[in-house]
Amino acid sequence: MNDLHTLAARTPGLPCRTTDPDMWFSNYPIDRYRAARFCASCPLLAACREYGVQTRQEWGVWGGVDLTAVETYCGSERGHRMHRRAGEMPCVPCAEAHAVLVEKRRRKRLAEEHAKGGTVRGYDIHLQLEEPACAACRAARREESARRRAGALRGRGQPRTASVASRAAEPATGAPAGAQPLALTA
């Protein structure tokens, strides 16, 4: 496969070649933002992004991703999102920052569920937080399970009504003339 430089030399009309190339490596974030938007129409978008990530470029816009900003925000939730947009696994500081944010959101939601007196959703959040569920959330989960079991058992063992049984014996609409109905087993 050709490397990025060879592909870029052979491909006419690339945005980084037809506009101000300094924009891609500007000291001003607004210029790099504009450059990243120009990349959207580039036929080498994926190859350029892959090159920037694989060669660990720390400065500039590569394939529509401002890798300068990724380095600037590393260790934050924004850095985590930027890693994901760049198609790479987040670094340890960014992954930790994301985990802290997720746990904070879950704890806030859990407090809302506890304010309702404990809910099935609260039970699920306890599990996501890898902690034992409180008594109120466990009780809500038991009640929900009992309701589902009661609903699933309802109707079992009861004979089918005559109208349902007679409809099952009729050939389906659109069946060829003389088609025999299938025998249904209970």
Side-chain angles (χ1 to χ4, degrees):
M1 179 173 159
N2 293 326
D3 67 344
L4 180 64
H5 297 294
T6 306
L7 290 172
R10 293 181 182 170
T11 308
L14 296 178
C16 57
R17 303 262 174 140
T18 58
T19 58
D20 179 14
D22 292 335
M23 189 183 326
W24 271 257
F25 298 95
S26 173
N27 289 328
Y28 301 104
I30 190 68
D31 289 341
R32 293 190 311 269
Y33 173 78
R34 288 183 185 131
R37 293 191 42 111
F38 278 119
C39 290
S41 63
C42 181
L44 300 180
L45 179 73
C48 184
R49 179 180 299 149
E50 184 177 334
Y51 174 82
V53 170
Q54 285 182 352
T55 59
R56 301 224 176 263
Q57 297 294 320
E58 296 179 2
W59 189 257
V61 175
W62 295 89
V65 177
D66 183 359
L67 296 178
T68 307
V70 170
E71 290 298 318
T72 302
Y73 293 106
C74 232
S76 68
E77 174 62 19
R78 185 170 183 185
H80 182 271
R81 287 192 310 266
M82 294 174 114
H83 281 297
R84 288 299 198 183
R85 261 187 255 133
E88 63 184 13
M89 290 297 296
C91 63
V92 173
C94 288
E96 289 172 353
H98 177 69
V100 167
L101 178 70
V102 168
E103 182 174 356
K104 181 180 174 184
R105 288 179 180 165
R106 285 180 178 161
R107 295 238 177 254
K108 180 181 176 192
R109 177 67 186 194
L110 184 59
E112 293 169 2
E113 298 302 318
H114 283 159
K116 297 175 186 175
T119 64
V120 175
R121 179 71 186 126
Y123 180 87
D124 293 339
I125 294 171
H126 280 294
L127 294 181
Q128 290 173 341
L129 291 170
E130 298 177 357
E131 64 186 25
C134 66
C137 291
R138 278 195 318 269
R141 174 76 171 138
R142 276 195 303 272
E143 290 172 13
E144 176 66 19
S145 294
R147 272 195 299 273
R148 286 182 182 216
R149 280 193 305 275
L153 295 176
R154 207 173 306 135
R156 284 190 182 172
Q158 297 177 1
R160 297 174 81 181
T161 62
S163 61
V164 172
S166 64
R167 267 189 265 131
E170 297 173 4
T173 307
Q180 297 295 318
L182 295 174
L184 300 176
T185 58

